[in-house]
């Protein structure tokens, strides 16, 4: 929707204005709480919360996508190394067990 980018730059200054205004006009009122409640209500009314998901390619710039892909590849490589290490440890343990049993 066209208003999905607009709310934050509008709501944040509005919350600040509410807090500052209440501090001057009614200092005994909980300005922060009132600002949070009002901006939450407005964001709910305009449908600011979107629970949709999108692939990283739709949201991120090319450098971030490349970094994410590189990170994913390195994580896969690390998992493979961990699996290899576990296999080698199991082989060493088996060799130690057989050497201890024959000795």
């Amino acid at each position: 929707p066209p208003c999905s980018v607009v709310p934050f730059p509008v709501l944040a200054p509005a919350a600040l204005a509410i807090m500052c205004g209440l501090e001057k006009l009614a200092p005994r009122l909980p300005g922060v709480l009132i600002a949070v409640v009002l901006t939450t209500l407005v964001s709910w009314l305009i449908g600011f919360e979107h629970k949709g998901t999108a692939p990283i390619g739709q949201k991120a710039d090319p450098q971030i996508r490349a970094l994410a892909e590189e990170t994913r590849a390195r994580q896969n490589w690390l998992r493979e190394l961990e699996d290899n290490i576990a296999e080698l440890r199991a082989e060493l343990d088996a060799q130690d067990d057989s050497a201890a049993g024959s000795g």
Side-chain angles (χ1 to χ4, degrees), residues 20-68:
C20 291
L22 285 175
E23 186 176 343
K24 290 193 185 284
L25 298 174
R28 296 179 62 106
L29 291 178
V32 174
L33 178 62
I34 292 170
V36 167
V37 169
L38 289 176
T39 54
T40 301
L41 181 63
V42 169
S43 68
W44 175 73
L45 288 172
I46 64 173
F48 182 55
E49 179 183 341
H50 297 285
K51 292 187 179 183
T53 58
I56 193 166
Q58 284 184 338
K59 299 278 183 177
D61 67 48
Q63 288 179 326
I64 293 175
R65 278 197 311 265
L67 184 60

Side-chain angles (χ1 to χ4, degrees), residues 2-17:
C3 69
S4 65
V5 178
V6 175
F8 180 75
V10 172
L11 290 176
L16 188 59

Side-chain angles (χ1 to χ4, degrees), residues 42-91:
V42 169
S43 68
W44 175 73
L45 288 172
I46 64 173
F48 182 55
E49 179 183 341
H50 297 285
K51 292 187 179 183
T53 58
I56 193 166
Q58 284 184 338
K59 299 278 183 177
D61 67 48
Q63 288 179 326
I64 293 175
R65 278 197 311 265
L67 184 60
E69 290 169 9
E70 181 181 341
T71 300
R72 192 175 311 122
R74 288 182 184 208
Q75 287 173 337
N76 290 337
W77 179 71
L78 284 173
R79 278 190 215 104
E80 290 175 15
L81 284 177
E82 289 169 351
D83 291 343
N84 289 342
I85 290 170
E87 288 174 16
L88 290 172
R89 281 192 178 141
E91 287 177 22

